[in-house]
């Protein structure tokens, strides 16, 4: 509901930035049950996947009809990796590793890029 409100708010005069999406991801708080943690991680992953469509240049991602979306940055990947890290099991670990690998190739456009400290903090 929060994301939908951000996107459809008629009072919004500025386009949504990646910082807005990052703050939304940080607000996602899975409960202690593994099924809720898994669903929250999947929802965050879906958002990241849409943001990455913009980043790879192949198409423009959209959410609830809102586009263009800003490309993800290191903070976006870190927020999603944190959510996957809360899901028990090997599959979630493998997803964090895949996201970390993808993050290393993305960078932030300002010369910064992923490093092992981010990965170790999550694991």
């Amino acid at each position: 509901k929060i994301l939908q409100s951000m996107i459809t708010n008629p009072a919004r005069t500025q386009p949504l930035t990646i910082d807005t999406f990052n703050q939304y991801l940080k607000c996602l708080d899975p409960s202690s049950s593994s099924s809720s943690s898994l669903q929250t991680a999947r929802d965050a992953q879906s958002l990241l996947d849409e943001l990455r469509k913009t980043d790879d240049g192949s198409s423009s991602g959209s959410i609830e009809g809102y586009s263009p979306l800003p490309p993800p940055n290191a903070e976006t990947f870190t927020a999603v990796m944190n959510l996957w890290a809360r899901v028990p099991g090997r599959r979630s670990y493998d997803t964090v590793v895949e996201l970390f690998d993808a993050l290393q190739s993305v960078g932030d456009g300002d010369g910064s890029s992923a490093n092992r400290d981010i990965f170790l903090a999550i694991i």
Side-chain angles (χ1 to χ4, degrees):
K1 289 183 179 183
I2 294 172
L3 185 60
Q4 184 179 13
S5 294
M6 289 182 346
I7 291 170
T8 60
N9 183 356
R12 181 178 35 78
T13 59
Q14 299 294 319
L16 297 175
T17 66
I18 194 58
D19 292 330
T20 306
F21 288 102
N22 290 341
Q23 292 307 314
Y24 166 75
L25 288 168
K26 289 178 181 179
C27 288
L28 297 178
D29 185 27
S31 70
S32 59
S33 76
S34 62
S35 62
S36 280
S37 297
L38 178 60
Q39 188 57 50
T40 301
R42 284 180 177 163
D43 292 345
Q45 183 70 49
S46 293
L47 175 58
L48 176 60
D49 291 345
E50 285 301 313
L51 294 170
R52 288 180 72 191
K53 286 180 184 177
T54 302
D55 193 43
D56 69 15
S58 64
S59 65
S60 178
S62 70
I63 299 171
E64 303 279 334
Y66 180 85
S67 68
L69 297 174
N73 61 18
E75 189 176 348
T76 314
F77 278 85
T78 302
V80 176
M81 287 188 288
N82 273 322
L83 291 168
W84 275 111
R86 295 178 183 178
V87 178
R90 178 69 189 197
R91 182 175 175 272
S92 60
Y93 171 82
D94 291 342
T95 302
V96 170
V97 172
E98 289 171 17
L99 288 172
F100 180 73
D101 289 342
L103 170 60
Q104 287 184 309
S105 66
V106 170
D108 268 347
D110 63 359
S112 64
S113 62
N115 61 44
R116 293 263 174 224
D117 292 339
I118 293 171
F119 182 72
L120 292 174
I122 292 168
I123 298 303

